[in-house]
Amino acid sequence: MVDETDDNISAITEQGVAAGLLCRMTEICLETAWHGARDPGQLVMDLNAIGAVREVRSYQPFGHIFGSRVIIIGGGAQVAQVALGAVNEADRHNIRGERISVDTIPLVGERTLALAVDAVARLPRATILVLAGSIMGGEISKAVDRVREAGIPVIALKMAGTVPEHADLVVTDPIQAGVFAVMHVSSKAVFDINRVKGREF
Amino acid sequence: MVDETDDNISAITEQGVAAGLLCRMTEICLETAWHGARDPGQLVMDLNAIGAVREVRSYQPFGHIFGSRVIIIGGGAQVAQVALGAVNEADRHNIRGERISVDTIPLVGERTLALAVDAVARLPRATILVLAGSIMGGEISKAVDRVREAGIPVIALKMAGTVPEHADLVVTDPIQAGVFAVMHVSSKAVFDINRVKGREF
């Protein structure tokens, strides 16, 4: 299905992209955003006109199906409680027609966590990050600064280490942290993380 | 960081891909799998040699950071309980060095759910799907058949409707459904969904 605002296009090529760098049959998924001027039908025709392209299929974009993503990273008992709060809250929003996903990766270790936090800035449709644990600092705090600079707000549980000093919001109850994250993403909720920035709950 | 097995490459182009179809500055993320023969450094150099490419950056691939994805779709109280079980179990596996993510989208409605189930086959690194609800059938059951044909096993909660008849495994307790899903994905667990196919727990 071709959509006016954005579109998920899968192109199966025989020789691959970028001047034949890949030589096997390759499937390439493109998800693009259209801001008015472009014609998605024309893009599909242009892709089909490329010699190496075997087949082009259009799908409804992931943004329409899975929506904005709340990302939860952390370890131990708390990470599942944050997910519990976020999923229950997202259910209440999605039943009214919104699309909010809750994507969780349980992880421990300073370097492992810092890598994951940095990677959130590259995840499609990632809208807010919740850090769930009892101690995080060092490299993780630096990664929190970078992901916030990339435009993704960060909620941290109240915990040991320097991460809470670097987050937009600090929350004691893991369930509430998940709920706040979804409320921030929602287009219908009255909550805006920028209005409570630096506060602790 | 360039990796021998697979690599996440971000190319910023001035004129875009596919013969200048996009004319603004565009960021393209390529995640590729290397099976031996190819040299990732050469790919980066070849991409840089393309006139329209402004900058090429290499990152550790999402597969190394976020790993295999358990996808949970459904609505109501049960969906968060499946997520709770899956996240707690994934935490136990990831602390031993595995990488398992738990990605949840709370949704209701036959058509909405069928679209989401079909889309799972196109999600990168989606490894197993859990359907969490109290009644699912019709178009959703047909989508379950398609996603299983695409190689993604499906666990359904014991529920009304025909979906349980189409799933690989039916589980009564939502927490256990989440745990089973992670156990199937894990390379370390003794559980294989193919050995309990068609059973009910």
Side-chain angles (χ1 to χ4, degrees):
Chain A
M1 192 184 135
V2 172
D3 183 271
E4 272 182 53
T5 52
D6 53 358
D7 195 19
N8 187 332
I9 291 170
S10 167
I12 299 173
T13 75
E14 263 177 294
Q15 301 198 348
V17 280
L21 289 168
L22 312 172
C23 294
R24 296 168 303 162
M25 179 87 94
T26 305
E27 192 176 73
I28 302 168
C29 279
L30 299 172
E31 187 149 355
T32 65
W34 305 98
H35 299 292
R38 300 279 152 192
D39 171 9
Q42 185 62 45
L43 174 59
V44 171
M45 280 192 288
D46 288 346
L47 284 170
N48 261 317
I50 298 171
V53 172
R54 171 78 66 88
E55 189 184 356
V56 181
R57 287 183 210 155
S58 273
Y59 297 101
Q60 202 169 104
F62 285 142
H64 288 202
I65 298 169
F66 300 114
S68 298
R69 300 165 76 181
V70 171
I71 312 292
I72 302 166
I73 300 178
Q78 288 155 306
V79 66
Q81 294 302 308
V82 176
L84 182 74
V87 171
N88 273 322
E89 183 70 8
D91 183 56
R92 299 175 65 240
H93 288 272
N94 292 354
I95 206 168
R96 293 188 295 175
E98 295 194 80
R99 287 288 180 278
I100 303 169
S101 291
V102 178
D103 296 351
T104 307
I105 175 89
L107 286 176
V108 294
E110 182 177 343
R111 191 175 141 69
T112 307
L113 280 162
L115 268 172
V117 169
D118 272 325
V120 171
R122 304 193 299 277
L123 276 180
R125 298 172 287 104
T127 311
I128 193 166
L129 169 63
V130 186
L131 288 173
S134 289
I135 177 166
M136 294 187 193
E139 288 304 316
I140 308 166
S141 296
K142 291 177 192 165
V144 166
D145 291 343
R146 288 188 290 268
V147 83
R148 289 183 60 209
E149 271 165 38
I152 295 174
V154 177
I155 295 176
L157 294 190
K158 190 162 181 174
M159 64 170 85
T162 55
V163 154
E165 296 161 31
H166 293 253
D168 291 277
L169 185 65
V170 178
V171 183
T172 305
D173 170 31
I175 291 182
Q176 189 175 61
V179 171
F180 271 146
V182 171
M183 284 165 67
H184 172 74
V185 170
S186 166
S187 53
K188 291 185 178 161
V190 185
F191 180 81
D192 178 353
I193 201 168
N194 297 305
R195 298 182 64 175
V196 290
K197 196 163 281 205
R199 286 189 60 186
E200 240 186 67
F201 290 92
Chain B
M1 192 182 135
V2 172
D3 182 272
E4 271 182 55
T5 52
D6 52 359
D7 195 20
N8 187 333
I9 291 170
S10 168
I12 299 173
T13 75
E14 262 177 294
Q15 301 198 348
V17 280
L21 288 168
L22 311 171
C23 294
R24 296 168 303 163
M25 179 87 93
T26 305
E27 192 176 74
I28 301 168
C29 278
L30 299 172
E31 186 148 356
T32 67
W34 304 98
H35 299 292
R38 300 278 153 192
D39 171 10
Q42 186 62 44
L43 174 59
V44 171
M45 280 194 287
D46 288 346
L47 285 170
N48 261 318
I50 298 171
V53 172
R54 171 79 65 89
E55 189 184 356
V56 181
R57 287 184 210 155
S58 274
Y59 297 101
Q60 203 169 103
F62 285 142
H64 287 202
I65 298 169
F66 299 114
S68 298
R69 299 164 76 181
V70 171
I71 311 291
I72 303 167
I73 300 178
Q78 288 155 306
V79 66
Q81 294 301 308
V82 176
L84 182 74
V87 171
N88 273 322
E89 183 70 8
D91 182 56
R92 298 175 66 241
H93 287 272
N94 291 354
I95 207 167
R96 293 188 294 175
E98 295 195 80
R99 286 289 179 278
I100 303 170
S101 290
V102 178
D103 295 351
T104 307
I105 174 90
L107 286 176
V108 295
E110 182 178 342
R111 190 175 142 67
T112 307
L113 279 162
L115 268 171
V117 170
D118 272 325
V120 170
R122 304 194 299 277
L123 276 180
R125 298 172 285 105
T127 310
I128 192 165
L129 169 63
V130 186
L131 288 173
S134 289
I135 176 165
M136 293 187 194
E139 288 304 315
I140 308 167
S141 296
K142 291 177 193 167
V144 166
D145 292 343
R146 287 188 291 267
V147 82
R148 289 183 59 209
E149 270 164 38
I152 295 173
V154 177
I155 296 176
L157 294 190
K158 190 163 181 174
M159 64 169 86
T162 55
V163 153
E165 296 160 31
H166 293 253
D168 291 276
L169 186 65
V170 179
V171 182
T172 306
D173 170 31
I175 291 181
Q176 189 176 60
V179 172
F180 271 146
V182 171
M183 283 166 68
H184 172 73
V185 170
S186 166
S187 54
K188 291 186 178 161
V190 184
F191 179 82
D192 178 354
I193 200 169
N194 298 305
R195 298 182 65 174
V196 290
K197 196 163 280 205
R199 286 188 61 184
E200 241 185 65
F201 290 92

